[in-house]
Amino acid sequence: MTQHSDPPPDAAVAEYALRLGDDALVLAQRLCQWITRAPDLEEDVALGNIALDLLGQARTLLSYAGTHDGRTEDDLAYRRTDREFRNCLIVELDNGDFATTIARQLLFSVYQVDLYAALCESTDPTIASLAAKAVKEVAYHADHATQWTLRLGDGTPESHRRMREGLEAVWPYADELFETDETVRTLVDRGVAADPAELLSGWQTTVVATIEQATLDVPVSDWHPSGGRVGRHSEGFGYLLAEMQSLARQHPEAQW
Amino acid sequence: MTTPGGDSPLWEVFVRGRRGLAHQHVGSVHASDATMALRNARDLYTRRGEGVSIWVVPASSITASSPEEKDPFFEPAGDKAYRHPTFYSVPDGVRNL
């Protein structure tokens, strides 16, 4: 378990760490579902590496969030119900085909790059040090997704079709990443959190450039699904949690 | 893994462990092009901090000696002890020789 000597976060910072940690944890779990199912062995390892990077981020963030009220990272990962999770919806979506997973990786990793770059300047020392380590990891995740987006989009007619459909499927869920609520506003004022509004334009520029270079069209959607940050999740999320938590629920306090 | 290897060509991977050493062959990867081969090699062969530099080379670009040529190629060197650097002592402090 990750140990922290920093003072425990207050309620708002703990909530923020929980959101970022749940995003990383749930996406790590989704990506692990690709192992043995990726297009080739090399890609199994690539997606597994990315999942492990995210899991490492999740451990630090959940451990830190837990010190607010005396819970451990395991309490938070394995002993919460779906309504208690604070991840955004895009990370919990079913993997779909490889192109759909790559589309999600592109939208989410590019967001994480700018997010963690901004959080390197956070006034919260634990979040700032996590961000300094994570920003290099997510830069690679974004590069991986970009390389694949270019090759699938500008590949064969079949890969182009799949990449287009993948992007269209995940695109509406990106809005939720840039939502602001009272918790975020307070933390932005205190210099703890990154301002989602400031992240949006950079994200759009990067993502649109990649999509266009991949000879794809930027999807248009007036549907804005939301609710993950307050615990309203999609149906498939229940199955993801059931699998992720099955060992801890069947064998409470199990140790390696 | 639906299509083992797929249509992707094979690339040989060379990793340099640290500055001052030569790149060593560590294995191979499948990839559609050189850029992806470099990334696959990074993911497969440098996960535990093994490298500071990677080369990938199309396996088809490597010309290898064949087993039939073994005798004319390598046998004549077998009895020429004077080619070995064993007739002087290596100074202390010389590593990686």
Side-chain angles (χ1 to χ4, degrees):
Chain A
M1 261 177 249
T2 319
Q3 295 294 326
H4 283 284
S5 50
D6 295 322
D10 60 33
V13 176
E15 167 73 16
Y16 190 64
L18 198 60
R19 292 178 183 186
L20 301 184
D22 282 349
D23 282 353
L25 175 67
V26 172
L27 186 55
Q29 181 70 14
R30 274 289 178 231
L31 290 176
C32 283
Q33 294 175 338
W34 270 106
I35 294 174
T36 73
R37 290 172 171 77
D40 54 34
L41 191 57
E42 286 81 352
E43 205 50 41
D44 275 348
V45 180
L47 292 172
N49 281 350
I50 291 170
L52 278 175
D53 287 344
L54 291 167
L55 194 63
Q57 296 164 17
R59 291 191 62 185
T60 302
L61 288 161
L62 294 187
S63 299
Y64 183 49
T67 56
H68 169 65
D69 54 8
R71 287 187 287 181
T72 66
E73 55 178 333
D74 284 355
D75 290 335
L76 290 169
Y78 296 134
R79 300 184 195 104
R80 278 184 298 161
T81 63
D82 58 346
R83 286 285 179 133
E84 297 171 279
F85 274 79
R86 292 291 175 263
N87 56 282
C88 55
L89 299 177
I90 194 171
V91 296
E92 74 190 47
L93 295 176
D94 284 339
N95 282 331
D97 64 6
F98 183 67
T100 307
T101 288
I102 289 299
R104 169 173 53 199
Q105 286 302 107
L106 179 72
L107 304 192
F108 188 74
S109 300
V110 169
Y111 155 77
Q112 272 193 314
V113 170
D114 290 345
L115 172 73
Y116 282 134
L119 288 180
C120 288
E121 309 295 323
S122 173
T123 53
D124 184 286
T126 305
I127 290 178
S129 65
L130 175 270
K133 175 170 176 287
V135 73
K136 292 174 200 151
E137 295 171 344
V138 296
Y140 186 79
H141 305 173
D143 178 66
H144 173 267
T146 301
Q147 297 296 335
W148 270 117
T149 301
L150 296 177
R151 280 158 182 79
L152 293 173
D154 196 12
T156 66
E158 174 69 2
S159 72
H160 180 89
R161 178 186 68 78
R162 286 178 180 240
M163 195 65 225
R164 189 191 71 229
E165 291 179 0
L167 270 176
E168 287 170 353
V170 299
W171 186 261
Y173 292 89
D175 278 355
E176 190 185 11
L177 297 170
F178 302 99
E179 284 178 358
T180 301
D181 62 7
E182 196 50 44
T183 302
V184 171
R185 263 190 295 276
T186 309
L187 293 175
V188 169
D189 289 343
R190 289 168 53 192
V192 173
D195 187 350
E198 285 181 21
L199 300 177
L200 181 58
S201 66
W203 177 87
Q204 276 174 331
T205 306
T206 307
V207 165
V208 166
T210 302
I211 291 173
E212 288 178 347
Q213 196 189 340
T215 72
L216 294 155
D217 294 325
V218 178
V220 181
S221 170
D222 51 13
W223 179 49
H224 308 295
S226 173
R229 300 296 189 207
V230 292
R232 288 198 307 273
H233 296 283
S234 55
E235 186 185 349
F237 186 55
Y239 294 96
L240 179 148
L241 275 195
E243 186 175 58
M244 187 177 83
Q245 297 180 336
S246 61
L247 188 104
R249 298 246 186 232
Q250 287 172 43
H251 304 282
E253 310 304 321
Q255 300 280 324
W256 284 108
Chain B
M1 191 162 159
T2 48
T3 51
D7 303 324
S8 306
L10 192 65
W11 303 75
E12 298 299 330
V13 180
F14 300 80
V15 171
R16 190 174 65 182
R18 55 194 165 88
R19 287 185 64 80
L21 294 186
H23 286 72
Q24 298 277 335
H25 184 241
V26 292
S28 53
V29 292
H30 285 100
S32 55
D33 54 53
T35 309
M36 295 303 279
L38 207 51
R39 279 154 183 76
N40 287 343
R42 176 264 193 198
D43 282 330
L44 278 166
Y45 295 110
T46 63
R47 304 178 74 224
R48 301 175 187 90
E50 292 95 333
V52 295
S53 169
I54 302 174
W55 291 345
V56 290
V57 178
S60 59
S61 298
I62 292 179
T63 308
S65 62
S66 78
E68 293 88 74
E69 294 168 322
K70 188 161 88 54
D71 286 350
F73 260 55
F74 305 118
E75 190 74 30
D79 61 351
K80 298 181 174 62
Y82 50 85
R83 291 179 179 171
H84 292 270
T86 53
F87 300 98
Y88 56 88
S89 55
V90 178
D92 292 342
V94 174
R95 288 176 296 162
N96 304 321
L97 188 67

